[in-house]
Amino acid sequence: MPNVSNPFSFGSPVSGDRFDDRRTEVRFLVRRIAAGQNVVLTSPRRYGKTSLLVRAVAEARKKEHARVGIASLLRCSSRREVAEEVTRAVIDGALGWMVGTAEQVTERLRRLPRVTPTLEHEGWRFALALGGAADDFLLDIRRPIELLADSRLDGRPVCLVLDEFQQIAEIDQHLAGFFKTVIDDLPGVSLVFSGSRRHMMERLFVGSGAALKNAAEPLSLEVIPEAVMTQFLVARMKSAGRVLTGPGARLTYRLMRGIPHFVQLLASAVYDQDVEVADEDAVRAALVEVLTRQRADLAARYEALPMNQRKLMRGLARNPVRDLLSRESLRRLEMSPASAQRARDALREAEQIEFDGQIGWRVSDPVFGRWLRYGLELDLGAAIPPSSIEDA
Ligand SMILES: Nc1ncnc2c1ncn2[C@@H]1O[C@H](COP(=O)(O)OP(=O)(O)OP(=O)(O)O)[C@@H](O)[C@H]1O
Ligand SMILES: [Mg+2]
């Protein structure tokens, strides 16, 4: 067999033939970008927001000749860092200002007097000078976006994508309102906000008192449908010269509840089983391997939780419940109403648990959930029998 690398990837955004479908969502985003409209994209973690954005941006650039910058606020913890990241996204990504001779670049950067570019291994970084008049950096966030808006004079659509936007709420409470004024002052610039932690995003965009209420059209990203994703898994495996059976692909999807990151993670472990034909048994064996490989991390994650949250996680991993505070649930969990409620709120805030309309409260991470169910009680060294893994 030729030496091919694992056809599945997880952990960072995917592109090319490692990216599957999302055609409807890509089309929606490209249309909004071209029309200068705002969108707010939300999903739980690991559903594929960033991959989708990268794909949509590439298409908007190619087909609509749009100028688009992508900023990620993940690592921003101050207004200054937001300003630097937005500057990078606009200058380097959308306007392409960093190409040309040194003189040309310097000339263009005159329009941002406080900005000093440095080339680092991930690309350009734009550091902002401290000092000067009002050092709240709001003007420094605004200026590059205005430059982007000005560039629109030649008729090309312009857009700024702000990934991990939920972070804004943690930086300070006025920043969201500030983005609202930017939107109001710069019609025609499409702003695409994207974030996990849906309830946080909702606090920013929905409901009375939300700073960005009605400012953007919502797009909530769901899992990729089973039929589409399983076809993708089978085709990827085939591209590496192996067979993944239909039932094997469906089990991979179901065990990971269709969440793209986890589906790819499990599929990758199935590939590593090194069998010519991967069926359901191979999938179960692969899951056991994942649980075994990750068990130190999973245990550490569990041990980092306070007692009552551990209890609730364990209980929900065994049996999801609709009404967590019912007498029956509390009896089974052996928790008081107050402590169950506190644990629920904290775990939901941290996205460790979620409420599913059909199933009720459950552990969000399917790998962690499985470990809580099968791995927790095992002594170190003991193995989980693959046959004990239930289908869903
Ligand atoms: N369209 C897709 N086709 C196949 N796999 C995908 C797709 N989108 C996402 N994935 C899988 O999910 C993983 C996470 O994708 P991505 O980083 O885009 O998600 P995200 O929603 O931005 O996550 P986070 O909330 O952590 O920022 C990828 O590494 C890949 O394994
Ligand atoms: Mg992301």
Side-chain angles (χ1 to χ4, degrees):
M1 193 171 292
N3 185 13
V4 259
S5 63
N6 197 310
F8 302 103
S9 33
F10 54 93
S12 32
V14 285
S15 58
D17 54 8
R18 289 170 186 258
F19 178 93
D20 179 42
D21 199 65
R22 299 289 198 205
R23 235 165 303 156
T24 322
E25 290 89 348
V26 170
R27 211 176 307 135
F28 174 88
L29 280 170
V30 171
R31 252 191 241 135
R32 293 302 178 276
I33 291 172
Q37 288 159 347
N38 308 317
V39 178
V40 52
L41 169 68
T42 58
S43 82
R45 290 221 84 88
R46 304 291 190 211
Y47 273 46
K49 295 175 297 299
T50 306
S51 305
L52 169 65
L53 290 170
V54 169
R55 168 68 59 110
V57 164
E59 228 175 279
R61 283 179 179 151
K62 200 167 131 210
K63 293 194 182 149
E64 307 287 341
H65 306 289
R67 291 192 175 95
V68 194
I70 306 189
S72 167
L73 305 188
L74 185 62
R75 276 181 221 93
C76 297
S77 51
S78 65
R79 290 181 174 188
R80 175 206 175 110
E81 285 167 351
V82 173
E84 289 172 346
E85 175 61 6
V86 167
T87 303
R88 188 201 56 70
V90 170
I91 297 295
D92 197 23
L95 296 174
W97 271 12
M98 300 313 283
V99 296
T101 64
E103 291 85 58
Q104 286 170 324
V105 169
T106 315
E107 177 56 37
R108 294 182 199 125
L109 280 175
R110 253 190 219 132
R111 298 186 60 187
L112 298 167
R114 268 152 58 91
V115 172
T116 317
T118 48
L119 189 55
E120 301 194 352
H121 72 276
E122 352 43 299
W124 289 102
R125 261 184 62 88
F126 295 86
L128 273 160
L130 286 170
D135 233 337
D136 61 6
F137 294 104
L138 291 183
L139 203 59
D140 300 290
I141 301 175
R142 196 187 173 94
R143 235 184 243 136
I145 306 177
E146 280 173 355
L147 286 176
L148 183 60
D150 291 348
S151 78
R152 203 167 160 260
L153 292 175
D154 64 4
R156 283 165 61 176
V158 297
C159 170
L160 178 63
V161 176
L162 295 155
D163 198 8
E164 305 284 358
F165 191 73
Q166 80 283 345
Q167 192 65 21
I168 215 95
E170 257 147 65
I171 298 174
D172 73 72
Q173 54 180 17
H174 303 294
L175 262 183
F178 163 75
F179 273 99
K180 176 76 169 98
T181 65
V182 172
I183 289 178
D184 292 344
D185 296 348
L186 301 174
V189 177
S190 158
L191 290 184
V192 175
F193 305 92
S194 167
S196 62
R197 302 181 64 184
R198 271 184 174 154
H199 62 283
M200 178 76 80
M201 291 294 281
E202 271 166 23
R203 227 174 286 156
L204 294 169
F205 286 90
V206 193
S208 60
L212 287 155
K213 192 173 154 80
N214 296 330
E217 192 175 352
L219 169 61
S220 84
L221 196 62
E222 306 300 332
V223 299
I224 297 171
E226 180 174 307
V228 178
M229 189 80 184
T230 51
Q231 237 179 48
F232 168 79
L233 297 178
V234 170
R236 291 300 296 159
M237 195 68 110
K238 196 170 167 200
S239 77
R242 307 255 187 90
V243 175
L244 173 65
T245 66
R250 279 193 292 282
L251 184 61
T252 306
Y253 182 93
R254 285 183 193 165
L255 285 171
M256 298 294 108
R257 292 206 314 273
I259 303 169
H261 163 84
F262 292 103
V263 172
Q264 289 239 37
L265 183 150
L266 182 54
S268 162
V270 173
Y271 176 83
D272 287 337
Q273 294 288 300
D274 254 335
V275 290
E276 288 291 330
V277 178
D279 57 6
E280 290 162 285
D281 287 342
V283 172
R284 288 203 178 83
L287 178 56
V288 168
E289 215 161 283
V290 169
L291 294 174
T292 311
R293 191 178 347 121
Q294 294 194 7
R295 89 173 136 200
D297 286 335
L298 294 165
R301 235 164 103 183
Y302 178 70
E303 280 155 19
L305 298 172
M307 247 352 138
N308 63 340
Q309 295 181 26
R310 291 189 199 177
K311 221 175 187 180
L312 185 55
M313 287 292 274
R314 241 173 17 224
L316 294 181
R318 253 177 274 124
N319 295 302
V321 288
R322 287 188 142 277
D323 182 3
L324 208 148
L325 300 177
S326 75
R327 193 178 303 215
E328 172 57 20
S329 308
L330 292 170
R331 190 188 58 73
R332 243 194 286 155
L333 290 162
E334 298 178 44
M335 292 177 92
S336 73
S339 95
Q341 196 165 354
R342 255 200 320 272
R344 179 197 66 191
D345 293 347
L347 288 169
R348 185 189 48 188
E349 186 78 21
E351 294 194 301
Q352 299 265 19
I353 61 170
E354 62 192 20
F355 188 80
D356 176 90
Q358 261 146 44
I359 290 171
W361 289 102
R362 67 173 174 209
V363 175
S364 314
D365 177 331
V367 170
F368 196 23
R370 284 265 158 22
W371 177 81
L372 289 165
R373 223 158 104 189
Y374 304 113
L376 189 57
E377 261 103 67
L378 283 183
D379 288 335
L380 271 176
I384 304 166
S387 57
S388 71
I389 306 250
E390 288 163 35
D391 285 10

